[in-house]
Amino acid sequence: MTFGRVNPKFRLEDQGIEGLESVHYNLIEPALVEAALKNREGTLGRGGAFLVTTGKFTGRSPQDKHVVRTDSVADNIWWENNAEMSPEGFDALYDDMKEHMKGGTYYVQDLVGGADPAHAIKVRMVTEMAWHGLFIRHLLRRPERESLDHFIADFTVINCPSFKADPAKHNCRSDTVIAMNIDRKIILIGGTEYAGENKKAVFSLLNYLLPENDVMPMHCSANHAHGNPVDTAIFFGLSGTGKTTLSADPDRTLIGDDEHGWSDHGTFNFEGGCYAKTINLNPEAEPEIYATTSKFGTVIENMVFDEETKELDFDDDTLTANMRCAYPLEYISNASKTAIGGHPKNIIMLTCDAFGVLPPIARLTPAQAMYHFLSGFTSKVAGTERGVTEPEPTFSTCFGAPFMPRRPEVYGNLLRAKIAKHGATCWLVNTGWTGGAHGTGARMPIKATRALLTAALDGSLGKVKFRTDANFGFEVPVDAPGVPTVLLDPRRTWDKPDSYDRQAAKLVKMFSENFEQYLPHIDEDVKAAAIG
């Protein structure tokens, strides 16, 4: 039995997926919410938001991601970062998953990844859970309803949380699996209800496909000046660095909060929605994002709430610190209608330095930009994970190593070439600690960070006097509008400057040791920046 709008020549049975009890094609938001409630997948919250928990997994499972090793991709994959799966293992996995699906009800969404038609891919998402269909309908781009009559997917993603993989039979690590077969144009996800796997599977796929077309895929947010897409800024950053918060500037137009491409035409969003962290979400500091948590269809993941009133507790991390909300881009009032911008005029690399060493902002040369892009530094702090008692460095190359199928230098060289061609100015912004490490110092004031970003984006910061940082060699402004001068020199914010010097030497050594892996693959000027 089938329901909904679909190309009659492109049903699941046409793809070899047979024996299902019923298939719901391209249901819109109200129908998906109704189905999810009927299936008891979650709870209706305030304003019609959908409240759900994801069980055992409240985050991604990067160690369970696999790429199928075939002749056509073997020389292109960064195998040190991507677990391989044999074609035979994948074939057995696919056959067993299809057998497991028989007699079940599934939800299909035919969607698009990429706002630029020249580089977009058509994706069919097949989900066991109705709310996963709602989630991915927010996060990918929704084609016009009429086009569904002729929709044929380039790639298909099947997500079946109730299916458990067999590591011995399926050539995987555990009973949780994410397997990408580029030759067969299929991605299989099993054993996890965490919805973020759906969107990151597509992102990983685009990260493989787009470099072949000279398009730079980026784990970044992006915005542009109101009415002026030429004045575009992109914000690279790992989780917790402020990527979503800082790009959601009411004085600028939001292009997107997480995944973008940079082509010969400019910047474009891969997605049609946002997936924002909600822990400690503040209605005053982030009013637009906060407002989405009580809008119809917003998916609220792993948040504690009052059973009677459905009031959300933004401070309770009992379930996870990775609590999130997923919503369509149009829920943000200043979001771009096209999700397309110009070539980046400014590139912001965000880091949360819990060591208290890095300045609040620094200007980078193109070689330094490649160095910090390949480094992808941020830090964990005490209390975030069991056993972490002092700041620990995290180096995730290209600010998104788990989603990078190709070697880091592929993306680094693409970024460097585009910076050179289009003349972008690069900045390193520390949203972490100042006046001491985590536990001693204080978090960088958000007001100062916003003031520095505003000055960087409007060009005024480029006109002030700069000094050369003794540890990293980049340029740091000596003064800036609305920012205390002492804040711009982190050494001066510490009570004991010699303690700062020891901490700085420690962090520089960490950077150097991490970067040794890239030295055989990079140019001399980037090597010099690494030493700098």
Side-chain angles (χ1 to χ4, degrees), residues 2 35 42 48 159 177 217 247 252 270 285 287 343 354 372 425 433:
T2 63
N159 189 324
V177 65
S247 61
R252 293 175 66 85
F270 291 166
H343 297 290
H372 284 279
T425 302
W433 271 257

Side-chain angles (χ1 to χ4, degrees), residues 409-421:
E409 298 81 24
V410 172
Y411 308 103
N413 287 327
L414 261 175
L415 180 66
R416 187 179 183 187
K418 290 187 180 297
I419 290 172
K421 182 176 181 179

Side-chain angles (χ1 to χ4, degrees), residues 67 70-78 118-119 121 155 180 182-183 185 203-217 261-264 268 270 405-407 409-411 413-415 418:
V67 177
T70 59
D71 292 342
S72 66
V73 306
D75 294 337
N76 301 323
I77 300 297
W78 181 21
H119 301 292
I121 62 169
F155 283 81
M180 179 167 66
I182 294 170
D183 282 5
K185 299 185 176 183
F203 184 43
S204 299
L205 176 62
L206 287 165
N207 280 332
Y208 180 82
L209 298 174
L210 293 180
E212 293 182 346
N213 297 321
D214 197 35
V215 177
M216 173 67 189
W262 185 357
S263 73
D264 289 340
F268 64 98
F270 291 166
R406 297 176 183 269
R407 277 207 59 85
E409 298 81 24
V410 172
Y411 308 103
N413 287 327
L414 261 175
L415 180 66
K418 290 187 180 297

Side-chain angles (χ1 to χ4, degrees), residues 370 374 409 413 515 518-524 526-527 530:
M370 186 170 178
L374 290 175
E409 298 81 24
N413 287 327
F515 205 76
Y518 306 119
L519 293 178
H521 307 283
I522 58 174
D523 295 336
E524 292 302 318
V526 182
K527 290 180 182 179

Side-chain angles (χ1 to χ4, degrees), residues 30-45 48-51 130-131 296:
L32 287 167
V33 171
E34 286 180 352
L37 289 170
K38 181 180 178 181
N39 298 341
R40 297 184 178 180
E41 296 173 4
T43 303
L44 196 65
F50 191 73
L51 314 181
W131 81 264
F296 180 79

